[in-house]
Amino acid sequence: MIPSNNYLEKLTFDQLFNLAEFIVYENFSKHLDTGLDDYNRNEINEILIEEERFFENAEVYAEKDILGNINGAIRILKWNRRDILPIKKIFNIDPHLWLENNPQIEIYHIGRFAIKKDIRDINLFKKLMVCAIAPVCERNHNVAFAEIYAKLLRVLNLLGIKTVTIGNSTNYLGSESIPVSMSQEGLLDFFNKNKSLVSENILTHSVNIIKKSEQLTPQLF
């Protein structure tokens, strides 16, 4: 087998535009078979502004090829209980409702998950998901929200990632998107089976950064 020259890394703030461009291009080209136009560029700017606002409490991961082009990306955000999450903006689902039964739970949002159209690598899919759910799996009762395309949701379920649909679907970035929640209990089995695909250093770094942001951000709302 020829060794892969691809590598997984955490993106820096100044790489967020590349992330936004990749997300929009891959979603529209995959679902609508179209390239970038003025409407798409507005979408890029909206995503960029949102991700810049979230960046302090987030980790963004991307696999790149030897030339530095993004093959796939994902973002995990620890909610500060103040920012408006996409689940609220797109579906009008209020994450505060999950705090009523247990105000001590940690709430996360998983987003910006995309893989280049011509790549068929299930391990890339698994690696990105492992990076995103690592902080969620750290503690009992943690919950993560996501807006997932219908086709992707079927893949997640087949891989053993348990999700709960919490609202009606809508069209977002060119495809049917479904709001879901994921608990630590529903993610832990997948995480334990696949965490060996990602270096321990990256996983530890991810969890530590999220914990650090918790110390810096008051847990008031």
Side-chain angles (χ1 to χ4, degrees), residues 27-214:
N27 278 292
F28 277 95
S29 65
K30 189 176 299 181
H31 301 304
L32 299 180
D33 195 26
T34 184
L36 293 177
D37 57 23
D38 290 340
Y39 174 78
N40 299 153
R41 295 184 192 284
N42 289 335
E43 295 281 355
I44 291 172
N45 289 333
E46 287 184 15
I47 289 176
L48 177 61
I49 291 169
E50 185 170 75
E51 292 307 314
E52 287 179 340
R53 187 174 73 249
F54 288 156
F55 188 75
E56 181 181 0
N57 299 311
E59 292 285 277
V60 186
Y61 292 94
E63 183 187 88
K64 296 182 177 180
D65 63 22
I66 193 171
L67 298 177
N69 300 310
I70 297 176
N71 289 329
I74 200 165
R75 186 261 294 129
I76 175 72
L77 166 71
K78 186 178 189 302
W79 188 39
N80 59 14
R81 307 192 185 190
R82 296 192 306 272
D83 288 336
I84 298 176
L85 294 179
I87 201 84
K88 171 67 174 177
K89 183 176 72 174
I90 300 170
F91 295 97
N92 199 31
I93 296 172
D94 189 355
H96 284 107
L97 297 176
W98 274 256
L99 296 172
E100 293 180 355
N101 295 327
N102 186 351
Q104 300 303 315
I105 68 172
E106 296 175 353
I107 292 179
Y108 295 86
H109 180 267
I110 298 173
R112 309 312 178 198
F113 186 28
I115 293 176
K116 189 174 289 186
K117 185 178 180 179
D118 57 353
I119 290 181
R120 299 289 185 269
D121 182 357
I122 192 63
N123 281 339
L124 171 56
F125 187 104
K126 291 178 179 179
K127 284 188 287 187
L128 292 172
M129 283 304 302
V130 165
C131 289
I133 68 176
V136 188
C137 293
E138 277 287 294
R139 183 173 163 186
N140 290 337
H141 309 301
N142 280 357
V143 62
F145 296 107
E147 305 81 43
I148 301 179
Y149 302 120
K151 292 179 181 179
L152 176 59
L153 184 57
R154 289 193 288 271
V155 175
L156 292 181
N157 292 334
L158 286 172
L159 290 176
I161 295 177
K162 299 174 183 177
T163 63
V164 177
T165 300
I166 56 176
N168 296 324
S169 65
T170 190
N171 187 281
Y172 180 65
L173 288 181
S175 183
E176 180 189 9
S177 184
I178 300 170
V180 303
S181 67
M182 294 169 276
S183 67
Q184 185 227 39
E185 181 180 7
L187 296 173
L188 202 54
D189 185 55
F190 172 87
F191 179 77
N192 287 332
K193 287 180 178 178
N194 295 285
K195 62 183 180 181
S196 61
L197 295 172
V198 180
S199 74
E200 186 175 342
N201 179 58
I202 288 180
L203 292 182
T204 302
H205 181 64
S206 171
V207 172
N208 286 343
I209 291 293
I210 294 292
K211 287 183 176 179
K212 182 179 179 181
S213 73
E214 180 182 29

